[in-house]
Structures are given as C-alpha cells and as structure tokens.
Amino acid sequence: MTQFNAVEGALAEVVSQGRCLGAALRVLHDGEEVLDLAVGDATSTQAMAADTVVPWFSASKLAATVAVARAWELGLLHPNDRVVQHLPEFAGPGKDDIRIEHLLTHTAPLRAVDRETGRRFADGRHALLELVLRGDADPDWTPGTRAAYLGHAGYLLLDEIVRRGSGRPFADFLHQQVAAPLRLTSRLGAPPGADVVDVPWFGPAELASRVARFDVSMGYPSACVAGPFGDAAEICEMVRQVGTRHGRRVLSPETCAALVTDQRPPTLIDESAGCARRWGLGMVLAAENFGPASPASFGALGGTACLVFADPEAGLTVSLYFNGNTGAADRLSRDRRVIDALYRDL
C-alpha cells in the first residue's frame, strides 16, 4: 500500500505556516480512491473535513462545462452554433459570429463586458445576463483570434442557451444530467440547508479588495457551485474514463475527447495571463499549477484556493482545496508544494 508521508507533511506544513486555515486533498488512482485527507480548520469552531461544503469559485466551470456537453449530446446546441441562433437579442456588431466554442475557449470578444459583470456580481443573474446580451463586443477582435479569460460573461450565455433549450433552470439541468449520475452532493447554488465555508484572504493586503466574496446562492454557473470539493475529482475522473463512472455513462468518448483536445492555436497569447495557455472546450490543459502532471492533464482552477485535474498517463485524478485565497505567486507555490510531494509518494 502506498504511503503518503511526503504529501501529508506538505499539507501540514502549509497550514502550520499560516498560509491557509485548512486544506483537503482527494486522490483517485486507476479509478479507486487512495487518499481522502483533510487538515486544519474550516472555521474557528469547525475542523476541515472531506465533506466540508466549500465554494468552488471558478472551478464551478468544470461542472458547468460537462452540463453544456450533455446539452450538446442531447441535441440542444452544438459548439459550432452561433450564439445568436439561440439568443437572438445577442445580435450586434462583432457579436454575430461568436460561437459557443468561443465561449468555452475564452476567445470571444467580451472582455470589457465581462469586467463589468465582475464589478456588478451582486446584481443578480437577470441583470448580469442582460448586461452581456446588450453589451458591445470588444473592438478589433475577431472571435477565435484572441484569448482572454472570461470570469462570468461566457457561462451566463451558456446558462441561458441551455435553459431555453431544455426548458428548465440550468441548476436543475446540471443536477439531473451531471451531479445525480455521478452521485455528487455538490449543487449549483449550494446543497439545501448547507453552511458554506467563507474562505478567508491570505494574500497581500493591497490585493484584498480585488477578491470577490462569492455568494453562491446567486447561482452563477461560472462561480457558484458549492459542496465537498472531492466531488470535482469525480467529474474529472469521469472524463478521464472517457465518459463513464460508477458503471454509468455520462458523456460519449467523442465528447470527452473534444473537451480535452487543444482548441486554441499553440502560439495564441492569453491576454489575461500574458502567455500562451492551452484550453480544450471548457477545460484547462496542462496548467503550471498541476506540477509534474503529464502534458495530457486537464482540469480546472478556482479562485486562488483550489484546483482539480486528471493525469491520464498516470491514471491519476486529484482535487486540492486550500481554505484561504491568496496571491498568485503563493497560490502556485502551495499547489506545487503539495502536488510535487504527491507524485514523489506515488
């Protein structure tokens, strides 16, 4: 049996150094759980546990992406569809040629309006959707030719496309088509009656005002899933197993391949990151945060608190949650410290 001395020590060290309140790590190897570890605190009166309900931040897009992929398989949409085919009021200069695939790859000319959604996060779904539907496209940006991460705008449009196509709220569609088959307790908008951890800020004081206090009850598919973060590993593991988990098929192998295949030109600079960054259809590919994981790895990042990835070459799926957002450099340091130790143990 594998001993996880290095990774257990790394997690304990990060917490003891005051770089977060607590942490949770789940590891699946060849489909079987080999580690489900929590250390430190969730709150001042509650220890961190494997089933602690936490906000997924932008890792919520992982669950939302699979829901959109299910809608694709059900014939409700296609990645090549123009958004205006589903949302006619989205029409306008520079917007008519935006396709669903551009929303999933963050190559749509919506960066300016997306920044406004971040500033108006508390206004609610209807107000933010109207903002994106009626807003202007970024000038000098042909869809697919430039890239910049979209925090909310793209997934607000995807939410509405699926809602209109399925005739039910996106949260219900996600639960029925993704969460229930995978036996997840996490929900978009939080599980009923759950107390969601209020993740504190551990980064530089001058950056604290930039950290959004996500109210997951707002229900945005881009940021408002909450539940045990080990559930995120189940989603990645399903994709790693080309669509099947617990004996149930959620996606086809062909759809899974599309999600994790490079959809951006390799030299395309992500203007929010300042460097080229690999993306599939909604999936981050081979991120630097994934440590020594193979180039075939894929997953998602949330805030500066959490990440989840699958490494098909190693047969490995990992979810890692730090109860504490922090600056980008410290986030990368924490992530790499733990994941490097995990790979040494394995």
Side-chain angles (χ1 to χ4, degrees):
M1 180 179 293
T2 302
Q3 299 297 310
F4 291 96
N5 298 327
V7 74
E8 289 176 7
L11 278 175
E13 179 184 8
V14 171
V15 174
S16 68
Q17 290 173 343
R19 299 167 71 186
C20 61
L21 285 182
L25 174 68
R26 187 173 186 222
V27 181
L28 307 176
H29 193 216
D30 292 334
E32 299 297 325
E33 182 180 286
V34 295
L35 183 64
D36 198 7
L37 175 68
V39 298
D41 297 323
T43 69
S44 60
T45 60
Q46 176 186 352
M48 197 75 173
D51 61 354
T52 297
V53 176
V54 294
W56 290 23
F57 301 109
S58 286
S60 302
K61 294 180 179 70
L62 172 70
T65 292
V66 174
V68 171
R70 278 295 298 144
W72 174 16
E73 294 193 339
L74 292 171
L76 304 180
L77 57 84
H78 191 280
N80 290 333
D81 289 348
R82 293 181 301 128
V83 174
V84 292
Q85 293 174 234
H86 299 271
L87 309 176
E89 64 270 47
F90 185 67
K95 296 164 65 178
D96 291 345
D97 291 329
I98 296 177
R99 300 181 183 275
I100 288 174
E101 64 183 302
H102 298 136
L103 305 180
L104 290 166
T105 59
H106 300 264
T107 57
L110 299 173
R111 195 177 188 192
V113 73
D114 184 66
R115 286 170 171 163
E116 188 63 19
T117 66
R119 288 188 286 268
R120 294 176 53 182
F121 185 85
D123 288 2
R125 178 190 179 277
H126 179 74
L128 261 61
L129 177 62
E130 283 298 306
L131 175 68
V132 178
L133 287 172
R134 310 296 180 185
D136 295 328
D138 298 324
D140 304 319
W141 184 323
T142 301
T145 64
R146 292 169 60 184
Y149 182 75
L150 300 175
H152 304 295
Y155 279 79
L156 282 164
L157 294 171
L158 292 167
D159 171 315
E160 184 65 5
I161 290 169
V162 173
R163 187 192 71 80
R164 293 188 191 183
S166 67
R168 51 189 144 156
F170 186 84
D172 291 348
F173 184 88
L174 189 157
H175 178 71
Q176 293 162 7
Q177 297 292 328
V178 181
L182 290 175
R183 306 174 185 171
L184 310 184
T185 60
S186 299
R187 296 289 294 267
L188 177 56
D195 290 325
V196 182
V197 169
D198 185 10
V199 177
W201 173 251
F202 280 81
E206 62 271 20
L207 298 180
S209 62
R210 301 183 188 179
V211 179
R213 289 271 179 183
F214 286 141
D215 178 357
V216 295
S217 68
M218 304 295 284
Y220 300 129
S222 51
C224 294
V225 171
F229 196 62
D231 281 358
E234 289 292 318
I235 298 175
C236 273
E237 179 64 15
M238 177 273 295
V239 177
R240 189 191 73 82
Q241 294 192 26
V242 293
T244 300
R245 180 70 172 149
H246 303 304
R248 301 190 66 174
R249 179 160 296 283
V250 178
L251 295 175
S252 72
E254 293 77 14
T255 300
C256 290
L259 296 182
V260 302
T261 299
D262 289 270
Q263 302 290 338
R264 290 181 179 180
T267 58
L268 185 64
I269 299 299
D270 187 309
E271 296 173 23
S272 52
C275 60
R277 183 162 283 175
R278 294 176 56 203
W279 281 85
L281 284 179
M283 297 280 188
V284 181
L285 307 181
E288 61 270 23
N289 300 71
F290 300 165
S294 73
S297 63
F298 59 86
L301 311 172
T304 54
C306 56
L307 65 87
V308 58
F309 71 92
D311 182 348
E313 293 186 10
L316 192 67
T317 298
V318 179
S319 63
L320 174 62
Y321 201 99
F322 289 110
N323 186 15
N325 278 302
T326 187
D330 191 48
R331 184 254 176 86
L332 183 60
S333 171
R334 292 187 316 191
D335 294 349
R336 290 295 301 267
R337 173 79 179 86
V338 172
I339 297 170
D340 285 353
L342 172 64
Y343 272 73
R344 288 199 304 275
D345 281 335
L346 290 171

